[in-house]
Amino acid sequence: MDSVNPQAPSMPLSAGLGLKLYRYRSLIRRHWWVLAVTVGLGLAVQSYLLFTKPKLFQSSSHLLVREELVVSDRAGGFQDGWGNLFGTSVEQLKGAQVQDKAKSRLALEAPNLTGEVDISASTTPRTNIFIVKGVGTHPEYTQRFVDAVVSEFLNFRKQGRDSTLGEVKTALTDQATLLRKELQEKQNKFQTFIQENNMAFWAEQGKSAAVFLSGLKNQQAQLFNELQRLQNLTPDELLQTPMAQASATRPQQGVPGSSAGQEVPFNNEFFTQYSQVTQQLIQKQAEVEQWRTIWKPKHPKMQALQAQVESSQRLLNVIKDQNAMATKGRVAAINAELKSLESSIEGWEKKVLEASRKDAEYQQLQSDVTNTQKELERTVGNTQGLNPLKNATPDLFVVTQEATPPIPVPPGTIKYLLIGLIGGFAVGMIILIVLDRADDRLSSSTEMLDHFSEPILGQIPNVADSREETGLPLLLPEDERYTYAESFRSLRSSLIFMPNQAELKTILITSAIPNEGKSTIASNLAITMAASGARVLLVDADLRRGDIAQLFDIDGRIGLSDILRGEVDWKEAVQSTKHATLRIIPRGPVTNQSGELLLRPQLITLLDEFKETFDLTIFNTAPILAADDTSTLAPNFDGALMVIRAQFTSARLSKNALNALYQRQVNVLGLILNCIDTEMPDYYYYRYPKYYAAS
């Protein structure tokens, strides 16, 4: 399948970066000549530019910035009234107006001189010295051009200053005219207001109205207090607590309806009568109690005392009734008086507000006239102050050194060579990155998980250093290639404990293209399986280029091709090896009709017999994309293993080969990644098997 593995674990950032660095390092090792070519070309181009570069000359002029007319900022530059002095001056020096005038001036003074000059400016650290530099191809023209630029620069600043002062004076004059007109309008408005309004009357009216309004509000507050007392206390309570003199109504002088002097509180008379009668009643009751023990109830004197007690009680009741009626009348009178006061207060408040509004308008008009007059005087003063300033203000810059004699400018050889070196290296790296993007060969299991959904059953390290003239040696019982032997043991365990495989007795091992190491892997897997005690048969089904016989150093003249033709029985072609439980059937004579032989019906019978005789049968077949043999043969097997060689096999070709198997309904067990580089970050754990090897 060509889908990305959905179960691929997320790779940490450090591991991903390590893989990228390793990949680029390997890329540089393989294509180092690309960097060599691009760096060489970069150096060559820069050398040519350096050789053809015209000889340049430099001249400089010094200007002093007046300390009394400039302030230093925190950044170490200079600032004047128009902003950053250094930046402004550089732009003026490089401006087209100054440059064109300097060229025109030289064209008149020295028509026989020509050239191009690049003007720059800088400041000497911790000084007020402004340096103007010119670099050009003609020495004399460069020197004279620097002087001309400085001169035109000073003229430009003088003209700008004069123009600015003139514009400021014109603006101030126009502003003064507008202010005079505005002042006249405000004075007329102020005088008209005074004529239409008697301010002395309004001032007196405001004061008296405020005093009278205050008296009305005090009277209203006193009435509110009295009304609250009358409403909150019962008539009996009012008789027992007389009203204080301060809480009674106090007529205000000058208030309509008020009279001179003070009125006595209305309930004080009832309070006095109530107190006297109450005192008499208590006295009579005491006498009754005193004589009760002496006189009989019907005694004339006792009855007379009883009659006096009853008379006093009736009198108290009469006083209470009269007080209650008087209280109701007083409440009604107070409400009426409060209503009248509210109307009076509203009228007097309007008078006070009108007087305040007139006074505020008067103060605002007077303030407007005063402020406008002051602004006019200040503007006139500024205008008069510009006349002496125009001739008295000196320029910020003073020429302290005219253009120096021209000196040759160093060609900058090191700079050119560094640019060529860095530029060539950058271009080379870009080319290598493009090559890496176009290269889809797989290097590690992490990259395989990004391209394939099939499980990776085995990862075989690269042991090319152990290769001999006859090829890579097969595994030995006490093989010293520890990581190499352990990788096949891991592959064996993956096959033995593979889930959902009820019976796995025939396995086909193939690859997408030749030279991926499938024959070696099939042989070593067979050896590893046999070492565990299983009866294993290894069959070389690559009838065109099979090399199992050479790997095991056995006679390969009789093999599978003879068996499929029916010339020999398979038991006669089986050969023993130095491994007790491992048997081999070589390919036999080479034939170009391998596809037809593998389609013969006796192959199915042959596989059934192999299953009955051996615990595991391993077929080594031809590459899928090189011949149709494997695609024809694979559907008859319990499972197939696909070998992919690291940094050799294209992911696109491997996907095409897998798709060919899936189209034939082949049970693909998984992938085997061959020849991995154990120095990659993915395989740091490969150092441990050697640690646990028997010494």
Side-chain angles (χ1 to χ4, degrees), residues 454-455 457 495 498 501 504 507 638-641 667-671:
E454 291 77 12
L457 300 181
L495 291 174
M498 180 171 290
Q501 299 295 335
L504 189 63
I507 297 176
D638 296 335
L641 296 176
N667 179 25
V668 178
L669 300 175
L671 307 177

Side-chain angles (χ1 to χ4, degrees), residues 372-513:
T372 305
Q373 189 170 5
K374 290 181 180 179
E375 188 175 358
L376 176 60
E377 293 174 357
R378 184 169 59 253
T379 303
V380 172
N382 292 337
T383 304
Q384 294 174 354
L386 289 177
N387 294 327
L389 182 64
K390 183 175 181 180
N391 298 323
T393 302
D395 192 13
L396 288 172
F397 294 95
V398 177
V399 179
T400 58
Q401 177 180 318
E402 296 183 350
T404 59
I407 58 175
V409 178
T413 304
I414 297 178
K415 177 182 176 181
Y416 273 82
L417 294 180
L418 284 176
I419 293 175
L421 179 64
I422 297 173
F425 183 80
V427 171
M429 288 302 299
I430 292 174
I431 294 174
L432 290 180
I433 292 173
V434 171
L435 291 176
D436 180 66
R437 292 294 183 184
D439 186 5
D440 65 342
R441 291 179 295 181
L442 305 173
S443 301
S444 66
S445 59
T446 302
E447 295 178 356
M448 287 187 66
L449 291 174
D450 292 336
H451 288 82
F452 301 99
S453 61
E454 291 77 12
I456 302 174
L457 300 181
Q459 300 184 62
I460 313 302
N462 186 6
V463 288
D465 53 349
S466 65
R467 182 178 295 275
E468 300 176 353
E469 295 181 358
T470 57
L472 187 66
L474 298 178
L475 287 176
L476 299 174
E478 296 294 335
D479 205 309
E480 295 183 356
R481 296 171 295 179
Y482 307 107
T483 57
Y484 188 64
E486 286 298 326
S487 64
F488 281 100
R489 295 188 183 102
S490 176
L491 175 59
R492 177 182 63 189
S493 299
S494 298
L495 291 174
I496 293 174
F497 300 106
M498 180 171 290
N500 302 324
Q501 299 295 335
E503 183 180 6
L504 189 63
K505 303 197 70 174
T506 57
I507 297 176
L508 180 143
I509 298 179
T510 185
S511 63
I513 59 177

Side-chain angles (χ1 to χ4, degrees), residues 480 482-483 486 684-695:
E480 295 183 356
Y482 307 107
T483 57
E486 286 298 326
Y684 64 91
Y685 50 83
Y686 268 91
R687 63 177 178 268
Y688 295 127
K690 185 175 181 181
Y691 174 78
Y692 281 103
S695 56

Side-chain angles (χ1 to χ4, degrees), residues 159-181:
Q159 293 174 2
R161 185 171 64 256
D162 294 342
S163 175
T164 301
L165 290 175
E167 293 175 357
V168 172
K169 184 176 181 180
T170 302
L172 290 175
T173 303
D174 295 341
Q175 185 179 4
T177 303
L178 293 175
L179 288 174
R180 290 190 183 95
K181 183 178 179 180

Side-chain angles (χ1 to χ4, degrees), residues 201-219 252-253 255 344-345 347-356:
F201 166 77
W202 284 108
E204 183 62 27
Q205 178 72 11
K207 292 179 181 178
S208 61
V211 173
F212 194 76
L213 180 63
S214 176
L216 290 176
K217 289 186 176 181
N218 288 335
Q219 184 179 352
Q252 302 294 324
Q253 185 177 0
V255 178
S344 299
I345 288 173
W348 284 99
E349 283 180 344
K350 291 182 179 179
K351 293 181 181 180
V352 172
L353 291 175
E354 180 66 16
S356 299

